[in-house]
Amino acid sequence: MTADTLVIADFGPRRRQGLRGPRGPGSSRTPGPYRRLLATPGARAFTIGNLLARLPMGMFSVSAVVMIAGTRGSYALAGAVTAAGLGATAVVAPWIARLVDRYGQARIAVPATLLAALGSLALLLCVRLGAPAWTLFVSYAATATTPNLGGMSRARWAYLLDGDEKALHVANSFEQAADEACFMLGPVLAAFLCGTFFPEAGTLTGVTLLVTGALLFAAQRSTEPPPWTPPHPDPHPAPLHSVEGKRPFRRRVTEPPQGRGAVSTCGSAARARPAPEPARTRSRPASPRTPLRTPALRPLLAICLAMGAVFGSMEVVTIGFADGQGHRAAAGVVLGLQAAGSCAAGLVYGAVHRQGSVEDRYVWCIAAMTALLTLPLLAATLTGSLLVLACALLVAGMATAPTMVTGMTLVQRHTPPGRLNEGMTLAVTGLLGGIACGSAAGGWTVEHVSPVAGYGVPVTAAAAALMIALVTHRVTHRPAESSNRFT
């Protein structure tokens, strides 16, 4: 080698070429939307903790019913206790969410979760020790402080993906699929634990998962959205006599001459003029509007109430229908198929390309849900077979997750800034209220008419939701007053 020779060597790592030769630039495999979503820094850590804490949400009610009914021998008492806890949650949950928005997730969620865990343990002890019936109501009502963990997870996604509507749609679909999976696996796990070991096993396991998951979730401070703080007053505000959108009007006044006997130089008047008083300003910081006062959010909450009636009535009617067929134990599996269809549809809905506005898609999703809910009614009426009914519920459930994903997207869009957790908790409260009403209506229809006629209740509730969506379409189609960003 001479001095004029230039040697270029590549010491970088080489990729192993396959049998088909090197890949072109366009042949590399692109990761899927959910893989890209979970690749967000810190996303996997808070998602694992949140899922652990959300799984018991589908366990506590079933565990309480099995524990109380097995010890006290009264399903009526067990149902009344769970209904009282549901009512307490509807009252307390929005206040907990407001505190979370104001002071942060970790500062409020951890003590609220510990208080709810103590309520569940107190219920266990009261049942175990044979305490008076009123202690069961008080103990279970204390579990109403459980924070809306699903709403807090969605708030973190909104904070991390601020401005990326496509990624936020994927995140909402993932969260809805997680909800369906938790409510599908939770009752099955609770029934297995209570039946295999002892009646209190479901409650103990649920408390352990709830506390562990909440602590892991709250420990991820890097992805926690900052609490809402009032905006600082403008150091140079416009005077009160200024016109909005225009420059402030300033009266031209000459400075008064200094010294005794001095006169004004403006015109021929020989008199001194006092200096103008400084304009008064409003220094009171603005506060975020309560979500209930947002016009576009009210019809969405009414639709959530009707949707809850669909879910509550469907559960009670399906149990009654399976009991009438002599297969009451199979009711959980049949309802699990409905949740499985919703979970799968939610994942697919998050990965497909969206078309049209969110408001239009919401109406179409509710219409599809109403149409598909006629399938269980037809299956029960024409065949009377539990197997055919299970297949119909599997198909009917496929419209649930897309409808809920689109609805939660609208709730996020129209919730005032700094009140995101409260707005989503109000939507969940509407669902819980609808579940209570739907359960009562479905149970009355099953008992006084027939289980087959009971499947008309969810169809009627879905039709009511569709009518509300059509009537209020113009209201919800208005653009959001302000972007829901964290400051």
Side-chain angles (χ1 to χ4, degrees), residues 120-174:
S120 296
L121 294 178
L123 175 67
L124 187 150
L125 292 176
C126 291
V127 173
R128 187 74 174 178
L129 299 176
W134 64 267
T135 60
L136 307 183
F137 291 90
V138 175
S139 301
Y140 202 68
T143 63
T145 60
T146 305
N148 183 10
L149 295 162
M152 290 194 297
S153 182
R154 289 178 173 90
R156 294 205 178 199
W157 287 121
Y159 170 64
L160 296 175
L161 307 174
D162 187 17
D164 192 345
E165 293 291 338
K166 184 177 181 180
L168 189 59
H169 170 73
V170 176
N172 287 333
S173 301
F174 173 79

Side-chain angles (χ1 to χ4, degrees), residues 58-68 186 189-191 194 199-203 206:
M59 298 176 59
F60 283 128
S61 60
V62 176
S63 300
V65 170
V66 173
M67 183 171 58
I68 297 174
L189 179 60
C194 295
E200 296 84 3
T203 300

Side-chain angles (χ1 to χ4, degrees), residues 33-391:
Y34 295 103
R35 187 176 179 181
R36 293 196 303 268
L37 179 71
L38 295 177
T40 305
R44 294 184 180 181
F46 83 78
T47 299
I48 292 174
N50 189 268
L51 290 179
L52 283 177
R54 285 159 70 178
L55 180 60
M57 297 299 104
M59 298 176 59
F60 283 128
S61 60
V62 176
S63 300
V65 170
V66 173
M67 183 171 58
I68 297 174
T71 305
R72 302 295 177 95
S74 173
Y75 278 96
L77 177 61
V81 170
T82 55
L86 189 65
T89 301
V91 176
V92 176
W95 293 98
I96 298 295
R98 180 176 297 183
L99 293 176
V100 169
D101 286 329
R102 185 65 181 87
Y103 298 102
Q105 294 183 355
R107 292 182 61 184
I108 302 300
V110 172
T113 301
L114 294 178
L115 182 58
L118 291 177
S120 296
L121 294 178
L123 175 67
L124 187 150
L125 292 176
C126 291
V127 173
R128 187 74 174 178
L129 299 176
W134 64 267
T135 60
L136 307 183
F137 291 90
V138 175
S139 301
Y140 202 68
T143 63
T145 60
T146 305
N148 183 10
L149 295 162
M152 290 194 297
S153 182
R154 289 178 173 90
R156 294 205 178 199
W157 287 121
Y159 170 64
L160 296 175
L161 307 174
D162 187 17
D164 192 345
E165 293 291 338
K166 184 177 181 180
L168 189 59
H169 170 73
V170 176
N172 287 333
S173 301
F174 173 79
E175 291 297 329
Q176 185 61 39
D179 284 339
E180 298 295 339
C182 290
F183 282 100
M184 176 179 60
L185 299 177
V188 177
L189 179 60
F192 171 77
L193 293 174
C194 295
T196 304
F197 299 99
F198 47 91
E200 296 84 3
T203 300
L204 287 175
T205 305
V207 169
T208 304
L209 291 175
L210 174 63
V211 174
T212 303
L215 292 178
L216 290 176
F217 177 76
Q220 312 306 317
R221 304 301 293 270
S222 61
T223 56
E224 179 182 354
W228 182 87
T229 54
H232 297 287
D234 190 358
H236 302 288
L240 291 180
H241 57 261
S242 62
V243 181
E244 184 178 1
K246 297 182 180 180
R247 295 182 59 185
F249 173 75
R250 295 182 179 180
R251 184 177 298 174
R252 185 176 182 181
V253 181
T254 58
E255 296 182 358
Q258 303 296 329
R260 180 179 296 179
V263 295
S264 173
T265 59
C266 180
S268 58
R271 59 184 181 185
R273 293 183 179 178
E277 297 181 358
R280 295 175 298 172
T281 58
R282 294 185 177 95
S283 59
R284 182 180 179 182
S287 60
R289 177 186 296 181
T290 303
L292 287 176
R293 296 183 179 180
T294 305
L297 198 59
R298 296 171 187 171
L300 295 176
L301 298 180
I303 294 175
C304 288
L305 185 67
M307 289 293 179
V310 173
F311 305 145
S313 59
M314 183 66 74
E315 180 177 357
V316 173
V317 172
T318 301
I319 294 175
F321 183 85
D323 192 13
Q325 298 291 322
H327 302 284
R328 185 175 184 179
V333 178
V334 175
L335 292 172
L337 288 176
Q338 182 187 10
S342 177
C343 180
L347 293 176
V348 174
Y349 183 70
V352 299
H353 179 69
R354 301 167 297 158
Q355 295 181 354
S357 64
V358 182
E359 294 80 7
D360 293 338
R361 290 202 308 271
Y362 194 39
V363 175
W364 282 108
C365 286
I366 298 176
M369 184 177 181
T370 306
L372 291 179
L373 283 175
T374 59
L375 296 179
L377 178 61
L378 293 175
T381 304
L382 299 179
T383 65
S385 171
L386 189 61
L387 180 61
V388 178
L389 176 66
C391 296

